[in-house]
Amino acid sequence: QAQVMESGGGFVQAGGSLRLSCTDSRRFASLVAVGWYRQAPGHERELVAQISSGGITNYADSIKDRFIIFRDTKTVYLQMNSLKSEDTAVYYCAVDVKPSIESPIIRNWGQGTQVTVSS
């Protein structure tokens, strides 16, 4: 099974920036899409940004114009700018793959990385 790992979380002042990284032990083989999700205490996990294998991106309204998702051959990044206290959450990377035409889409989650924004 693929191992997905996030890194780059930390503590930052409001208005600051962080860049999260997501890697996949299978180097995103059979990729459908990669999504960044977040979950704050007492809230459900929500999609923040997603990038498809073809490079199409979509963003949650709450972070549009502040966050950017992009990738290179080995890593998917989430550049987070103008951070607000409400962005505080555990951020998870989800890698969706489809190993064959017959197989369903399989989602592999990382363990998450904490982002804390102080106001």
Side-chain angles (χ1 to χ4, degrees), residues 2 12 22 25 30 35 39 45 53 72 74 93 95 105 108 117:
V12 65
C22 173
S25 63
S30 305
Q39 187 166 19
R45 191 172 297 189
S53 59
D72 59 26
K74 297 181 181 179
C93 180
V95 178
I105 294 176
N108 297 305
V117 184

Side-chain angles (χ1 to χ4, degrees), residues 83-105:
L83 282 161
K84 305 176 181 179
S85 57
E86 52 262 45
D87 295 319
T88 295
V90 178
Y91 284 70
Y92 298 90
C93 180
V95 178
D96 295 342
V97 298
K98 188 173 173 62
S100 68
I101 294 175
E102 297 83 12
S103 72
I105 294 176

Side-chain angles (χ1 to χ4, degrees), residues 5-48:
M5 292 188 63
E6 304 95 339
S7 62
F11 183 93
V12 65
Q13 301 263 357
S17 298
L18 281 175
R19 178 178 292 184
L20 305 183
S21 299
C22 173
T23 58
D24 175 6
S25 63
R26 297 179 68 248
R27 298 198 174 188
F28 302 109
S30 305
L31 183 68
V32 174
V34 177
W36 282 99
Y37 292 74
R38 68 184 181 187
Q39 187 166 19
H43 289 78
E44 293 186 354
R45 191 172 297 189
E46 63 175 355
L47 176 66
V48 175

Side-chain angles (χ1 to χ4, degrees), residues 31-90:
L31 183 68
V32 174
V34 177
W36 282 99
Y37 292 74
R38 68 184 181 187
Q39 187 166 19
H43 289 78
E44 293 186 354
R45 191 172 297 189
E46 63 175 355
L47 176 66
V48 175
Q50 188 177 59
I51 185 166
S52 73
S53 59
I56 297 172
T57 58
N58 68 81
Y59 297 91
D61 288 341
S62 60
I63 57 85
K64 271 183 181 176
D65 300 325
R66 297 191 297 122
F67 292 9
I68 302 170
I69 187 170
F70 62 100
R71 63 172 295 198
D72 59 26
T73 55
K74 297 181 181 179
T75 307
V76 173
Y77 303 93
L78 184 67
Q79 177 67 40
M80 306 187 295
N81 302 317
S82 302
L83 282 161
K84 305 176 181 179
S85 57
E86 52 262 45
D87 295 319
T88 295
V90 178

